[in-house]
Amino acid sequence: MMSAAWTLCPLLTVLLVVRLLGAQQQLLPGSCNFELGTCGYTSDPEYGTWSMNEEGHVITVDSAILKEQQQAVLVSPVLDHQYWSCVRLVYQITGGGSLQLFLRPDGDNFDYRMWTANQASDSWLIASVDLPNSTTPYQVLLEGRPERGSGNSVAIFEIHIVTGYCIECNFEEHHLCGYSNSWNPNVNWYVGGSVARVPESHLPVNHSTHHQRGHYMYVDSVYAKHFQEVAKLSSPMTTVPLAGCLSFYYNRDQERGNIFSLFTRDQLGHYEDMWRPEVFATAGWTLVSVDIKAPHPLEVVFEVAFNSARGGYVAIDDISFSPEFCHTDTEPNFDPSIANCDFEDGLCLYHQEKTDSKEWSRVSVKPNAYRIGDHTTGVGFLPGQCDFESGVCGYIQDKKGDKADWLRVRGHTPTSYTGPRGDHTTGVGYFMYIEASLMRPGHKARLLTSDLRGSSSPQCLILFYHMHGSGSGILSMLLRRSDREQDALLWRRRGEQSVSWMRVMVDYQCDVRHQIIFEAIRGPSLRSDIAIDDISFKRGQCEDPGDFAPYSGFSEYFNEIEK
């Protein structure tokens, strides 16, 4: 989970005072504490309603209010944050239910899930969600889904959006950027500085502001009672891949012995040591920079172990992150992206050396059961894309208006002289098709996408289809709008088309909730299997509308190459 309890138990009162005294980060549009209203957030009218508490400060969706609906969706105003930012939610799930955060890019048909939680709690929790930089305006959606029955609800107390990465923190915010202390009866991380500091304290002043009004985190050995008493301070779990330089300041005073270390911990609990100091004590605040790669979710943990009550203290402050690595020996000192090339549209910035040796040639390879072609087009399931490798992507069989179902299979279809010999994606993966031998002439099978929210921008629908066989029937794509009873035809093909997979690109526009229907009608003979694969939606008009035949999905010649 990417959340933390809203308290560091030893100093709850201090944290409340910090909210008043600390130098708060500048909040971006989309932030809301729900004290004077909803800050432009509205409930999506197609779902249930979020309701404000009578005394303010909290917005809630309760199972008793939803009635027949299953969820309520809270939609932010349109946001235009072009730099990396962090959303911090203070929320609570009571009884049973879930809370999810989605991004809705402007002009896009799809909402992209960024975070989810289903942990019930009797206290407020903090979630931190990274929002990568984008040139496209977007909206933040919060979907509350309490379980059926009484006593189930989802509540949001506060939404903070700040510039930077969620892993960064100067500990001036009242919720400490989502950092959490692993409670220990004797040694814990505390808030230092400001009112937590007494005149005779041996602890340092805050690094950020260089005076006693600022804050930092520290752990002291004064209450240590056993050998190797350990205190851990953990960052929020990352929600997107990160790679770069993690920096922080620390201050360390070692009288009889403490062990200070930095490591990462992933969702499975695996640890990796990142750094340990080379000196026992520092004269003041010392800067540390550590290279970090987080291709999957993980948290950063600051750990201090004491051997006795005379083990001194350790303090940290001003944790920051940069997408550029700290050390030049970790990564090349040039931008490696200039070397990116998939060779789909030429040689990019590569060139042939003028030597006597043979030249490199750019080719396309026909996939087959023994070699699957290039790497670039082996895509998986993302919002707006479906290659059927991991399932049917939420698509639905129409049980009312048809007589048969689409089947998900791999390999060749059972009837001779019809159907593909492999899927389009890799040649050895899955695709959807109708088996003509299980249908009568004229029977139809319909496959529907899940609900698409609609967009005022044009959309490009891309489909690879296969219609081979002397008795091939009809393949159609239709648009089913929520505000109309009649389905509209977008595209249709009749009869045998090719032994190869064909591509079609169709422009359409629909600004209301809708579905796309893939309808296949069986032809007059058994040789009328119809298959589809690699469906994708892209924002904007199609670059090259029309049909295109790239390859068949199988080759009799293992090394067949197209020049």
Side-chain angles (χ1 to χ4, degrees), residues 32-93:
C32 193
N33 59 14
F34 301 103
E35 291 182 1
L36 301 176
T38 62
C39 313
Y41 281 82
T42 57
S43 295
D44 189 325
E46 296 193 18
Y47 302 101
T49 302
W50 288 81
S51 58
M52 287 282 294
N53 185 286
E54 292 182 358
E55 299 177 357
H57 306 288
V58 177
I59 191 166
T60 308
V61 55
D62 194 294
S63 58
I65 300 176
L66 282 181
K67 297 180 181 178
E68 298 302 320
Q69 294 161 316
Q70 295 182 337
Q71 75 263 35
V73 178
L74 190 65
V75 184
S76 77
V78 175
L79 307 177
D80 192 11
H81 302 156
Q82 298 187 7
Y83 300 99
W84 198 288
S85 56
C86 175
V87 178
R88 293 197 178 99
L89 297 175
V90 181
Y91 72 97
Q92 183 178 7
I93 300 173

Side-chain angles (χ1 to χ4, degrees), residues 250-289:
Y250 81 99
N251 195 316
R252 187 184 190 202
D253 169 41
Q254 178 170 325
E255 296 179 9
R256 292 291 182 87
N258 66 59
I259 301 172
F260 179 32
S261 58
L262 171 71
F263 56 86
T264 60
R265 178 173 56 204
D266 64 19
Q267 289 178 308
L268 299 178
H270 299 149
Y271 293 83
E272 181 180 353
D273 288 325
M274 300 297 295
W275 171 87
R276 290 190 180 186
E278 298 178 355
V279 296
F280 293 144
T282 60
W285 289 101
T286 301
L287 175 64
V288 174
S289 297

Side-chain angles (χ1 to χ4, degrees), residues 204-219:
V205 296
N206 167 262
H207 172 265
S208 307
T209 59
H210 302 290
H211 57 69
Q212 298 179 12
R213 302 298 284 182
H215 304 90
Y216 54 84
M217 298 301 296
Y218 79 95
V219 56

Side-chain angles (χ1 to χ4, degrees), residues 84-301:
W84 198 288
S85 56
C86 175
V87 178
R88 293 197 178 99
L89 297 175
V90 181
Y91 72 97
Q92 183 178 7
I93 300 173
T94 302
S98 65
L99 178 63
Q100 299 187 85
L101 185 148
F102 295 83
L103 276 190
R104 176 175 287 179
D106 186 42
D108 201 310
N109 245 334
F110 296 88
D111 300 327
Y112 299 83
R113 187 173 64 185
M114 304 296 292
W115 169 85
T116 184
N118 53 21
Q119 176 185 356
S121 172
D122 56 4
S123 62
W124 294 101
L125 301 177
I126 299 174
S128 300
V129 185
D130 281 297
L131 301 182
N133 50 333
S134 172
T135 57
T136 303
Y138 59 85
Q139 292 173 290
V140 172
L141 279 63
L142 293 161
E143 179 190 278
R145 189 185 288 260
E147 292 181 359
R148 298 286 187 184
S150 62
N152 299 319
S153 65
V154 178
I156 299 174
F157 179 81
E158 191 174 73
I159 303 172
H160 275 191
I161 305 180
V162 296
T163 300
Y165 299 81
C166 290
I167 203 171
E168 297 179 310
C169 195
N170 60 8
F171 301 108
E172 304 300 333
E173 292 189 349
H174 67 283
H175 44 53
L176 305 180
C177 317
Y179 276 74
S180 60
N181 170 67
S182 298
W183 174 249
N184 182 307
N186 301 318
V187 293
N188 291 279
W189 287 90
Y190 296 88
V191 179
S194 191
V195 295
R197 181 182 173 87
V198 294
E200 64 273 14
S201 174
H202 62 291
L203 294 171
V205 296
N206 167 262
H207 172 265
S208 307
T209 59
H210 302 290
H211 57 69
Q212 298 179 12
R213 302 298 284 182
H215 304 90
Y216 54 84
M217 298 301 296
Y218 79 95
V219 56
D220 200 319
S221 65
V222 64
Y223 297 113
K225 296 180 180 179
H226 307 288
F227 182 73
Q228 290 287 293
E229 292 264 27
V230 176
K232 294 181 180 179
L233 182 69
S234 303
S235 75
M237 189 76 72
T238 60
T239 57
V240 295
L242 293 177
C245 180
L246 179 71
S247 300
F248 63 94
Y249 286 85
Y250 81 99
N251 195 316
R252 187 184 190 202
D253 169 41
Q254 178 170 325
E255 296 179 9
R256 292 291 182 87
N258 66 59
I259 301 172
F260 179 32
S261 58
L262 171 71
F263 56 86
T264 60
R265 178 173 56 204
D266 64 19
Q267 289 178 308
L268 299 178
H270 299 149
Y271 293 83
E272 181 180 353
D273 288 325
M274 300 297 295
W275 171 87
R276 290 190 180 186
E278 298 178 355
V279 296
F280 293 144
T282 60
W285 289 101
T286 301
L287 175 64
V288 174
S289 297
V290 180
D291 288 317
I292 184 172
K293 293 184 178 181
H296 51 269
L298 54 78
E299 57 189 5
V300 173
V301 182

